[in-house]
Amino acid sequence: MENEPPQVRDPQLLKGVLPMLVLALLDEDESYGYELVTRLHEAGLAGVAPGTVYPVLTRLEREGNLASRLVASDAGPARKYYRPTDTGREALAVAGASWHSLATVVDHVLATPEEER
Amino acid sequence: MTTTTLRLAERWRRFVYLETVELFLDAMPRRRRRAVLAELRENIDAATADVGLAAALADLGGPRELAARYLESEPQDRPTWHIGTLAASIMFAVWLLGTVVYTFGMLDALLAQSPATATAEGSFFGVRILVEAGPEALGAQFRGIAWPAVAAMVVVFAVFSRVWRLLPSSN
């Protein structure tokens, strides 16, 4: 049986971490907008729509965390591929560290009975 | 090599969608708005090549909601220079109109008081106004700078531009 990733469905929870996830996936491999959405779906974020991802890409590029280049395509117009800049990688490292700290605390709180805290 | 060519109806649908998004992006500065819309169009075209225009637009959701997401991701609390400039310009126009009306009033009073050529001196918001009126001469001279009006225009510009937004946020 194929091991499928867990699905995340809480949009508010997702909103805060989406820029970090976008940076992480683009750090693995550059993508154009719709391809990135597909990769997010494959990662378990089936509820993420392009209408949520595109503004994040726009913001990250405006902030200097992403760079882009146009690549000619056999199936349509040239596509804009995004990849993290050095600033973006630094931001990813900071966001990742913050996330792990938070996750550690949350895991601890959820795993420990209230009377033992 | 295959290419995606949109039918006229699809082009129209994409055009309407982008125009509607632009309508709801009204709060965004024009240059920034154009850049955002150009990028959105590129993304729509790329998605259209993958899944078709109908699915590409459906995945984006409503234009209003999409515009709201773009606005959310833009920097907030920027100074509104264009509004400040407009407000200061209106104030300047009012001051200019007031000065002209005041000067014409002085000229009219002079002409009514004396049939011979006469002069009078007055002041309007710090500007000295010297008028001469009579059968052979009609004119006005302005001296000085209307500092109260200049100060008022600076204050109006600063208030309507919300310059305090340039200060570092405490958050």
Side-chain angles (χ1 to χ4, degrees):
Chain A
M1 185 178 159
E2 194 175 337
N3 190 16
E4 291 189 359
Q7 300 290 309
V8 179
R9 299 187 190 280
D10 187 336
Q12 288 303 320
L13 200 58
L14 188 60
K15 194 176 173 182
V17 294
L18 189 56
M20 177 178 68
L21 298 176
V22 165
L23 283 171
L25 286 178
L26 292 177
D27 196 33
E28 285 175 14
D29 193 12
E30 64 176 2
S31 285
Y32 60 93
Y34 197 77
E35 184 184 51
L36 178 65
V37 175
T38 308
R39 289 176 64 194
L40 286 163
H41 288 178
E42 290 169 356
L45 302 168
V48 174
T52 306
V53 176
Y54 295 165
V56 171
L57 287 171
T58 302
R59 193 190 95 196
L60 289 171
E61 189 175 26
R62 188 197 66 235
E63 292 172 345
N65 290 316
L66 288 180
S68 62
R69 66 187 181 107
L70 283 175
V71 177
S73 166
D74 288 340
R79 287 165 173 173
K80 191 173 183 179
Y81 278 75
Y82 301 89
R83 67 182 186 287
T85 59
D86 291 341
T87 307
R89 289 192 190 90
E90 287 171 18
L92 174 60
V94 171
S98 299
W99 171 256
H100 288 306
S101 300
L102 178 64
T104 302
V105 173
V106 172
D107 286 344
H108 174 71
V109 171
L110 293 180
T112 310
E114 193 172 353
E115 58 271 17
E116 292 179 20
R117 278 181 217 147
Chain B
M1 179 174 156
T2 58
T3 55
T4 305
T5 306
L6 294 180
R7 289 179 288 123
L8 188 61
E10 288 180 321
R11 284 173 187 272
W12 174 252
R13 194 173 166 196
R14 182 186 62 186
F15 171 78
V16 169
Y17 187 91
L18 287 169
E19 287 294 310
T20 314
V21 172
E22 182 172 12
L23 187 70
F24 288 111
L25 285 179
D26 188 50
M28 194 181 280
R30 189 171 64 172
R31 189 180 298 174
R32 180 75 194 137
R33 186 168 66 230
R34 285 183 177 173
V36 164
L37 288 168
E39 183 160 336
L40 175 60
R41 184 180 167 143
E42 286 172 1
N43 281 323
I44 289 174
D45 288 347
T48 299
D50 287 358
V51 294
L53 182 71
L57 293 185
D59 285 347
L60 285 175
R64 185 175 191 165
E65 290 72 28
L66 181 63
R69 282 186 216 110
Y70 273 111
L71 287 173
E72 269 177 24
S73 63
E74 288 295 306
Q76 302 297 311
D77 296 336
R78 284 182 300 192
T80 50
W81 300 121
H82 57 295
I83 296 175
T85 304
L86 180 66
S89 300
I90 290 171
M91 184 150 194
F92 175 75
V94 169
W95 169 79
L96 196 63
L97 182 67
T99 304
V100 169
V101 169
Y102 186 85
T103 305
F104 274 104
M106 287 177 68
L107 288 168
D108 192 46
L110 269 184
L111 288 171
Q113 280 181 1
S114 170
T117 301
T119 60
E121 196 172 332
S123 176
F124 187 77
F125 276 99
V127 174
R128 305 287 302 168
I129 303 172
L130 190 66
V131 295
E132 185 179 19
E136 296 172 355
L138 188 69
Q141 285 183 3
F142 302 91
R143 290 180 186 160
I145 299 172
W147 289 116
V150 170
M153 275 184 269
V154 169
V155 169
V156 164
F157 175 77
V159 168
F160 281 84
S161 296
R162 303 177 187 186
V163 289
W164 56 87
R165 290 180 172 182
L166 289 173
L167 298 172
S169 171
S170 58
N171 297 322

